[in-house]
């Protein structure tokens, strides 16, 4: 009898153990937990992507407004001495590079920020703009009768790269400062002060260019975010 009682008790325990491991158990399995966490992570990422898309829409709208406001100050023109079409501030449309020592800015046909430096009676292949606290130096553009050329006694050099962008940003950020323009030719150099008119036109050109560039960057980013959101939505829907 005792053996029967023991066997019944053992069988009851066995049933309880089996029930706790059965598919009908209310306890989620470790795999189910991991799946839930993964889906939640996807949902969180999707929410962040959607928020970034929303932020971009507002930023693009703001930049559009700025670009529209600035555009009335610019003209698309062509100077035969500089060959290609470009965008320049209205007050410098008829600027004669041959007759001035100084620095101006323009936006090229391929939407790049470009600085045109001119020096009467001298030669140079690099420039630097500085104030008491900071400085930005261009790349070296050697004489090639194209980007670096001469008209009479005036040396004209075009600078168009990331270092030129740095000069534009420096002038825009420090327009009120006493900015010096240094013409560098290997080991020799000479300096002039940038006039208020030159600083203003370069600053406005940089701001216009930078707004256009930033808008284009955000538009490209928005396309990527849209594709990312679609992929996340598809994964979430398939996981449910």
């Amino acid at each position: 009898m005792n053996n029967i009682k023991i066997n019944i008790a053992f069988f009851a325990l066995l049933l309880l153990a089996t029930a706790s491991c059965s598919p009908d158990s209310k306890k989620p399995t470790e795999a189910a937990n991991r799946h839930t966490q993964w889906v939640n992570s996807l949902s969180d990422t999707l929410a962040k992507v959607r928020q970034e898309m929303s932020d971009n829409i507002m930023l693009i709208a703001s930049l559009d407004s700025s670009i529209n406001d600035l555009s009335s100050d610019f003209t698309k023109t062509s100077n035969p001495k500089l060959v290609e079409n470009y965008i320049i501030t209205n007050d410098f449309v008829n600027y004669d590079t041959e007759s001035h020592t100084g620095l101006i800015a323009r936006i090229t046909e391929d939407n790049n920020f470009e600085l045109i430096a001119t020096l009467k009676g001298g030669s140079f292949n690099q420039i630097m703009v500085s104030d008491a606290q900071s400085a930005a130096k261009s790349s070296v553009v050697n004489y090639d009768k194209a980007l670096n050329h001469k008209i009479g006694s005036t040396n004209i050099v075009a600078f168009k790269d990331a270092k030129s962008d740095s000069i534009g940003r420096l002038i825009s950020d420090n327009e009120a400062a006493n900015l010096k323009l240094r013409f560098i030719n290997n080991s020799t150099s000479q300096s002039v002060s940038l006039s208020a008119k030159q600083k203003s036109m370069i600053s406005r050109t940089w701001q216009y260019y930078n707004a256009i560039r930033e808008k284009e960057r955000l538009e490209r980013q928005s396309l990527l975010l849209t594709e990312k959101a679609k992929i996340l939505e598809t994964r979430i829907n398939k996981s449910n």
Side-chain angles (χ1 to χ4, degrees):
M1 181 66 68
N2 288 336
N3 287 336
I4 293 173
K5 288 181 179 179
I6 292 171
N7 287 337
I8 291 172
F10 177 79
F11 185 72
L13 289 172
L14 184 62
L15 284 175
L16 287 172
T18 304
S20 67
C21 297
S22 71
D24 295 331
S25 172
K26 292 183 179 180
K27 284 189 175 181
T29 64
E30 186 178 345
N33 277 333
R34 286 199 302 267
H35 178 76
T36 300
Q37 290 171 1
W38 176 70
V39 173
N40 289 340
S41 175
L42 289 179
S43 297
D44 290 343
T45 302
L46 179 59
K48 290 176 182 176
V49 169
R50 285 174 173 166
Q51 182 59 55
E52 199 169 351
M53 290 168 66
S54 177
D55 291 343
N56 276 8
I57 289 171
M58 290 188 290
L59 287 170
I60 289 170
S62 176
L63 286 167
D64 255 333
S65 177
S66 296
I67 290 167
N68 288 334
D69 290 342
L70 289 165
S71 63
S72 61
D73 196 25
F74 289 83
T75 298
K76 185 174 183 179
T77 187
S78 177
N79 183 335
K81 294 176 182 176
L82 297 176
V83 184
E84 64 178 327
N85 294 324
Y86 55 86
I87 296 171
I88 195 166
T89 56
N90 298 332
D91 50 338
F92 274 76
V93 168
N94 297 315
Y95 180 81
D96 185 3
T97 54
E98 194 175 339
S99 305
H100 296 85
T101 288
L103 184 67
I104 64 169
R106 65 181 188 173
I107 300 171
T108 63
E109 284 186 297
D110 53 354
N111 292 322
N112 284 302
F113 178 79
E114 186 173 50
L115 293 170
I116 307 295
T118 55
L119 176 64
K120 284 179 64 66
S123 298
F124 68 103
N125 56 18
Q126 189 178 27
I127 60 171
M128 183 172 74
V129 173
S130 62
D131 62 11
Q133 283 78 38
S134 53
K137 186 182 287 187
S138 74
S139 299
V140 173
V141 177
N142 290 315
Y143 184 73
D144 60 359
K145 298 184 179 180
L147 293 177
N148 184 335
H149 64 284
K150 285 196 171 186
I151 299 177
S153 63
T154 303
N155 194 181
I156 303 171
V157 185
F159 300 96
K160 181 177 63 176
D161 60 10
K163 290 186 176 181
S164 304
D165 290 357
S166 296
I167 294 174
R169 185 181 298 108
L170 173 69
I171 295 172
S172 180
D173 291 345
N174 301 277
E175 187 181 337
N178 179 22
L179 296 172
K180 296 286 187 180
L181 168 63
R182 178 175 295 177
F183 298 93
I184 304 169
N185 188 17
N186 300 320
S187 60
T188 63
S189 68
Q190 61 185 94
S191 298
V192 297
S193 292
L194 283 175
S195 69
K197 190 173 182 181
Q198 287 175 324
K199 288 187 292 183
S200 173
M201 83 85 62
I202 294 168
S203 178
R204 284 177 284 143
T205 305
W206 168 257
Q207 291 167 16
Y208 187 43
Y209 160 76
N210 197 46
I212 293 170
R213 182 178 64 167
E214 181 64 10
K215 180 191 170 189
E216 290 174 347
R217 185 190 71 80
L218 288 171
E219 287 173 339
R220 290 192 301 271
Q221 185 184 70
S222 293
L223 290 174
L224 293 174
L225 288 170
T226 299
E227 290 304 311
K228 187 174 182 179
K230 287 179 181 177
I231 292 169
L232 288 166
E233 287 167 356
T234 299
R235 288 182 178 178
I236 292 169
N237 290 336
K238 284 184 177 179
S239 69
N240 291 331

